[in-house]
């Protein structure tokens, strides 16, 4: 009696549920299909890896051996084992043991990959370590990259793709990586990379980048060299999104510049040097005169006397209500400095109480003309120059 056939088995479920890395290749070594475990390791949630060359996912040293083994299987058929380094979602390489099978003359190659077991808990620890590294990169907004100087192949970590706003897994090139920088930054980064590749010179730059979505952001790009047999074999480095930090820094610099401009304007207003006639300057002094203000006032006044070749300087003290010893000393020093430049000083508007304080403090204004108001001082200056003021 013939045994009845059992229920049909859905082998697709085994393909999707397997923890091994299962895949199917065509005759050109392109990926026709990969399972969920494979997709999770390489970080391909959107299915963009399929129809790409399988060897492109391997380290450059393993690509040719893999191609040779695949060609042999497609011709002769059979099963082969290959140990190679597979690039994972964090753009690091992990060692995987692949088993490949094909029938002679077949159009497809079936494969399975498994990471070597290093001991109890080793895989879990490795996954936890990789996950922790990825979280740290994402939090700090910093990724890593490596360039093989022989093949010019570049590797980016997942965070570098995120900063560039590019699809994960898009194969980067050295030229493309440089061209993502803002046009004015391209010569600088190109020169730095070339110096690192040729002479091993490290670099650490803050530049602007134009992302895949057209946004202009600030990044920090740093690189160093790995030497082999006296030559730079690889260069590597970090790539960090510093947009927020740089914007705060630039905003602070802008605010400090505004504050400095305001301080200069206020200082200029507190020292209003007025040109009342040819070769005649007037400086109204208002309010308290401390050491800092007196120094600024003296410097600005003397610069203007020298610049305008002034012969007379009028210090109008109408706005000064009280004078202490320090203020009196400052005024005497200003008068003495004016005299040293060959100009004549006239002090006007001294209030009675201020005059008494000058006398009490012994702050003399010997050799200085003192008048009651600014108009009288201007008349004196005009007579000295042979002109008259109505």
């Amino acid at each position: 009696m013939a045994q009845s056939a059992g229920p049909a088995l859905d082998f697709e479920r085994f393909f999707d549920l397997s923890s091994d890395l299962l895949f199917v290749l065509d005759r050109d070594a392109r990926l026709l299909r990969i399972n969920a475990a494979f997709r999770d390791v390489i970080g391909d949630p959107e299915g963009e890896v399929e129809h790409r060359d399988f060897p492109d996912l391997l380290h450059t040293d393993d690509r040719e051996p893999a191609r040779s083994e695949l060609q042999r299987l497609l011709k002769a058929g059979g099963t082969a084992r290959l140990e190679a380094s597979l690039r994972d979602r964090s753009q690091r390489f992990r060692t995987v043991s692949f088993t490949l099978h094909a029938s002679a003359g077949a159009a497809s190659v079936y494969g399975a990959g498994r990471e070597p077991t290093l001991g109890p808990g080793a895989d879990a620890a490795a996954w936890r370590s990789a996950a922790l590294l990825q979280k740290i990169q994402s939090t700090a907004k910093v990724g890593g990259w490596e360039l093989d100087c022989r093949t010019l192949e570049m590797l980016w970590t997942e965070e570098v793709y995120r900063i560039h706003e590019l699809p994960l897994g898009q194969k980067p090139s050295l030229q493309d990586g440089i061209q993502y920088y803002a046009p004015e930054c391209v010569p600088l980064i190109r020169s730095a990379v070339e110096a690192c590749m040729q002479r091993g010179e490290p670099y650490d730059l803050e530049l602007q980048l134009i992302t895949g979505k057209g946004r202009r952001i600030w990044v920090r790009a740093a690189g160093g060299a790995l030497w082999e047999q006296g030559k730079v074999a690889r260069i590597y480095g970090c790539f960090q999104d510093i947009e927020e930090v740089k914007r705060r820094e630039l905003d602070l610099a802008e605010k400090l510049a505004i504050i400095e401009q305001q301080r200069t304007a206020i200082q200029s207003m507190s020292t209003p040097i007025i040109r009342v006639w040819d070769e005649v300057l007037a400086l109204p002094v208002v309010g308290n005169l401390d050491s800092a203000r007196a120094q600024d006032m003296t410097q600005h006044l003397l610069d203007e006397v020298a610049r305008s070749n002034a012969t007379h300087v009028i210090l109008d003290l109408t706005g000064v209500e009280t004078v202490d010893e320090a203020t009196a000393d400052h005024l005497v020093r200003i008068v003495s400095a004016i005299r040293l430049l060959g100009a004549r000083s006239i002090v006007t508007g001294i209030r009675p109480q201020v005059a008494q304080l000058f006398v009490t403090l012994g702050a003399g204004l010997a050799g200085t003309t003192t008048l009651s108001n600014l108009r009288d001082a201007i008349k004196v200056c005009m007579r000295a120059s042979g002109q008259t003021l109505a």
Side-chain angles (χ1 to χ4, degrees), residues 161-167 170 180 209-217:
Y161 283 98
R162 190 203 65 77
I163 294 172
H164 279 81
E165 296 185 326
L166 295 174
Q170 178 175 320
Y180 275 111
L209 180 86
I210 298 177
T211 71
K213 295 183 179 180
R215 292 195 312 123
R216 181 182 283 252
I217 63 171

Side-chain angles (χ1 to χ4, degrees), residues 53-125:
D53 286 348
F54 169 68
D56 281 349
L57 303 178
L58 307 179
H59 192 278
T60 51
D61 295 341
D62 297 326
R63 291 178 183 176
E64 286 307 315
R67 291 186 188 279
S68 298
E69 197 64 32
L70 289 170
Q71 290 174 1
R72 186 189 66 80
L73 282 175
L74 289 168
K75 290 180 181 179
T79 301
R81 287 179 174 79
L82 174 70
E83 188 169 282
S85 295
L86 176 69
R87 185 170 59 205
D88 64 16
R89 64 186 306 139
S90 65
Q91 302 304 302
R92 296 182 302 114
F93 285 101
R94 56 175 67 189
T95 301
V96 178
S97 294
F98 292 101
T99 299
L100 307 172
H101 178 80
S103 300
S108 302
V109 176
Y110 296 86
R114 177 179 296 180
E115 294 184 81
T117 302
L118 301 178
D123 288 343

Side-chain angles (χ1 to χ4, degrees), residues 150-355:
R150 296 164 297 186
T151 64
L152 298 183
E153 179 186 15
M154 289 201 73
L155 297 178
W156 287 358
T157 64
E158 188 171 334
E159 189 63 18
V160 176
Y161 283 98
R162 190 203 65 77
I163 294 172
H164 279 81
E165 296 185 326
L166 295 174
L168 185 65
Q170 178 175 320
K171 191 174 180 180
S173 70
L174 174 60
Q175 184 62 24
D176 290 341
I178 289 177
Q179 291 302 321
Y180 275 111
Y181 287 90
E184 66 273 16
C185 299
V186 168
L188 185 59
I189 187 64
R190 178 179 285 120
S191 176
V193 171
E194 289 176 353
C196 192
M197 293 176 64
Q198 296 168 8
R199 300 184 295 276
E201 297 179 5
Y203 63 90
D204 192 339
L205 303 171
E206 292 183 356
L207 305 168
Q208 284 196 296
L209 180 86
I210 298 177
T211 71
K213 295 183 179 180
R215 292 195 312 123
R216 181 182 283 252
I217 63 171
W218 281 95
V219 296
R220 177 190 175 195
L226 288 174
W227 295 78
E228 292 180 7
Q229 299 179 345
K231 294 182 179 180
V232 178
R234 300 175 185 275
I235 65 173
Y236 66 96
C238 68
F239 191 79
Q240 185 177 14
D241 180 350
I242 60 170
E243 174 67 12
E244 293 182 8
V245 175
K246 195 68 177 179
R247 287 301 171 193
R248 287 197 296 268
E249 179 183 312
L250 293 174
D251 287 345
L252 177 59
E254 183 178 353
K255 290 176 182 177
L256 290 175
I258 292 173
I259 291 172
E260 179 61 23
Q261 291 175 359
Q262 292 173 341
R263 189 193 69 81
T264 302
I266 293 171
Q267 185 181 74
S268 176
M269 292 173 62
S270 67
T271 312
I273 301 173
I274 304 169
R275 185 173 182 179
V276 297
W277 211 275
D278 292 340
E279 301 179 349
V280 179
L281 301 177
L283 175 60
V285 181
V286 180
N288 296 326
L289 192 63
D290 58 19
S291 297
R293 185 184 174 202
Q295 184 176 354
D296 289 339
M297 182 182 295
T298 303
Q299 184 63 49
H300 283 83
L301 180 59
L302 296 182
D303 287 344
E304 186 61 23
V305 170
R307 189 190 67 80
S308 63
N309 294 319
T311 59
H312 292 79
V313 177
I314 303 171
L315 292 178
D316 184 20
L317 305 185
T318 304
V320 178
E321 297 183 357
T322 60
V323 175
D324 57 16
E325 186 176 357
T327 304
D329 182 63
H330 293 322
L331 291 170
V332 171
R333 288 177 180 272
I334 291 174
V335 170
S336 299
I338 293 171
R339 186 182 302 118
L340 289 174
L341 289 181
R344 180 183 175 187
S345 59
I346 302 175
V347 179
T348 65
I350 299 179
R351 296 170 183 259
Q353 59 270 31
V354 173

Side-chain angles (χ1 to χ4, degrees), residues 335 339 363-369:
V335 170
R339 186 182 302 118
L365 295 173
T368 302
T369 301

